C-alpha cells in the first residue's frame, strides 16, 4: 500500500513529502488452515571456460620464448641449449606425462535447493501465520556454499472490536563458506599460475605442493573462510480505535 500528501508528511515528516510505500508481511487468514509448500532445484555451471594451453603447447611456447630472449639478449639471457628442465624442475619427459585441467578440478555443476512451507489459520479474533524456509546453495566453484534456515511467526489478535494487538517474530541461521577467487588464489590461480604439467595430487593422495606458488585445489578445499550468523527480530504492536471513523 502507499500513502502520499499531507497524511504522509504528518506521519513521516519531510522524508515522506513525495509519498511512502508501506510493506506488510504475510498474515494469517480466517477459516480453515491453509498449508502451502514449494520446492525448486537450480543448477549452476560456468558459462564459458577460459581456453588454456595443454602441456605440449605450453612447452613449445616456453622454448620459443627462451629462444627469442636469447636472440635479442645473448649476453643476459640463458642459452636455450643449456636449459634441460622447465619451471618446477621437470624434464620434458616428466612434464609431458601430465596434462592437468585445473578448471575442471575447481569447478563443477552446483546444485541448489529451495524449500518453503507456510501455514496460516485463524478465527474471528485470532489469526496466525507460520513460515519455514530452507535454502541450500552450491556454487559452480567447488566448496563454495551458502545455507540458510529461517522461520517466521505473525500473530494478530482482536480481543475487542476497538483493540488489535499482535507481533511479528523471525529467526534465521545462515552459513557462508567463501572460496578464494581471482588474485586470492583458487579459481584465479587455476587459470594463471597453475602450469598444465603440475599434478594436483601426489601418488599417495596428498596435495601436490607447487614449487613457486600454491596448489589451487588445496586452496578451494583447505582454506577455511566460514561465517555463521544467527539473527532474531521481533516486532510488537497495539492498534486502538478511540473514536470510530476519526481518521
Amino acid at each position: 500500500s502507499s500513502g502520499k500528501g499531507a497524511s504522509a508528511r504528518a506521519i513521516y515528516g519531510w522524508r515522506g513529502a513525495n509519498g511512502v510505500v508501506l510493506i506488510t508481511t504475510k498474515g494469517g487468514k480466517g477459516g480453515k488452515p491453509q498449508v502451502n509448500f514449494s520446492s525448486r532445484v537450480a543448477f549452476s555451471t560456468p558459462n564459458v571456460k577460459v581456453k588454456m594451453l595443454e602441456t605440449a603447447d605450453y612447452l613449445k611456447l616456453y622454448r620459443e620464448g627462451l629462444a627469442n630472449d636469447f636472440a635479442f639478449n645473448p649476453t643476459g639471457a640463458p642459452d636455450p641449449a643449456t636449459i634441460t628442465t622447465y619451471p618446477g624442475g621437470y624434464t620434458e619427459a616428466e612434464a609431458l606425462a601430465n596434462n592437468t585441467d585445473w578448471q575442471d578440478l575447481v569447478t563443477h555443476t552446483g546444485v541448489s535447493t529451495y524449500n518453503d512451507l507456510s501455514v496460516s489459520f485463524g478465527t474471528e479474533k485470532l489469526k496466525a501465520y507460520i513460515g519455514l524456509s530452507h535454502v541450500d546453495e552450491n556454487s559452480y566453484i567447488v566448496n563454495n556454499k551458502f545455507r540458510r534456515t529461517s522461520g517466521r511467526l505473525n500473530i494478530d489478535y482482536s480481543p475487542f472490536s476497538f483493540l488489535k494487538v499482535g507481533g511479528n517474530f523471525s529467526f534465521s541461521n545462515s552459513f557462508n563458506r567463501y572460496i578464494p577467487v581471482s588474485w586470492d588464489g583458487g579459481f584465479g590461480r587455476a587459470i594463471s599460475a597453475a602450469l598444465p604439467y603440475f599434478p594436483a595430487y601426489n601418488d599417495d593422495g596428498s596435495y601436490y605442493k607447487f614449487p613457486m606458488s600454491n596448489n589451487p585445489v588445496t586452496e578451494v578445499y583447505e582454506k577455511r573462510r566460514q561465517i555463521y550468523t544467527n539473527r532474531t527480530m521481533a516486532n510488537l504492536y497495539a492498534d486502538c480505535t478511540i473514536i470510530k471513523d476519526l481518521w
Side-chain angles (χ1 to χ4, degrees):
S1 60
S2 62
K4 60 176 63 177
S7 61
R9 288 194 297 272
I11 298 173
Y12 301 100
W14 65 270
R15 295 178 184 274
N18 294 322
V20 295
V21 176
L22 305 179
I23 300 176
T24 57
T25 57
K26 292 182 179 180
K29 297 180 180 179
K32 295 181 179 180
Q34 296 184 7
V35 180
N36 295 290
F37 176 75
S38 65
S39 180
R40 63 187 179 93
V41 179
F43 303 90
S44 63
T45 58
N47 287 332
V48 179
K49 288 184 62 177
V50 180
K51 294 182 178 180
M52 307 294 293
L53 293 174
E54 295 187 350
T55 298
D57 296 324
Y58 174 83
L59 298 182
K60 179 182 178 180
L61 289 179
Y62 184 81
R63 290 192 299 268
E64 289 181 4
L66 289 177
N68 290 333
D69 194 17
F70 183 73
F72 290 97
N73 186 21
T75 59
D79 186 348
T82 65
I83 303 298
T84 58
T85 60
Y86 293 90
Y90 285 76
T91 65
E92 185 163 346
E94 291 172 336
L96 289 172
N98 292 316
N99 189 35
T100 305
D101 188 335
W102 292 102
Q103 289 183 87
D104 275 355
L105 292 176
V106 298
T107 62
H108 65 169
T109 298
V111 181
S112 303
T113 58
Y114 305 84
N115 296 287
D116 296 283
L117 172 66
S118 66
V119 179
S120 63
F121 55 91
T123 63
E124 184 178 348
K125 290 188 175 183
L126 175 67
K127 294 179 175 61
Y129 171 89
I130 300 174
L132 298 174
S133 175
H134 182 72
V135 175
D136 190 352
E137 294 183 340
N138 293 277
S139 166
Y140 65 85
I141 298 180
V142 170
N143 227 22
N144 184 204
K145 184 181 185 69
F146 174 77
R147 183 176 61 245
R148 182 183 65 228
T149 301
S150 59
R152 172 177 289 277
L153 172 63
N154 298 338
I155 297 178
D156 299 300
Y157 179 54
S158 300
F160 308 103
S161 60
F162 62 87
L163 179 63
K164 182 178 180 180
V165 296
N168 303 317
F169 310 91
S170 65
F171 172 79
S172 66
N173 170 268
S174 64
F175 165 74
N176 202 340
R177 179 189 291 137
Y178 294 94
I179 297 301
V181 294
S182 188
W183 57 268
D184 196 26
F187 181 79
R189 202 179 309 280
I191 58 175
S192 58
L195 300 181
Y197 57 81
F198 285 171
Y201 302 94
N202 297 312
D203 293 337
D204 61 0
S206 60
Y207 296 112
Y208 174 75
K209 186 176 181 179
F210 280 20
M212 296 170 289
S213 60
N214 294 324
N215 185 333
V217 175
T218 307
E219 292 178 315
V220 297
Y221 280 106
E222 302 300 332
K223 273 194 174 181
R224 302 296 181 183
R225 295 175 178 173
Q226 302 177 154
I227 297 178
Y228 296 86
T229 304
N230 290 317
R231 179 174 297 172
T232 302
M233 299 182 67
N235 176 39
L236 300 175
Y237 77 91
D239 186 357
C240 182
T241 302
I242 301 176
I243 300 177
K244 188 176 181 180
D245 298 328
L246 176 63
W247 189 260

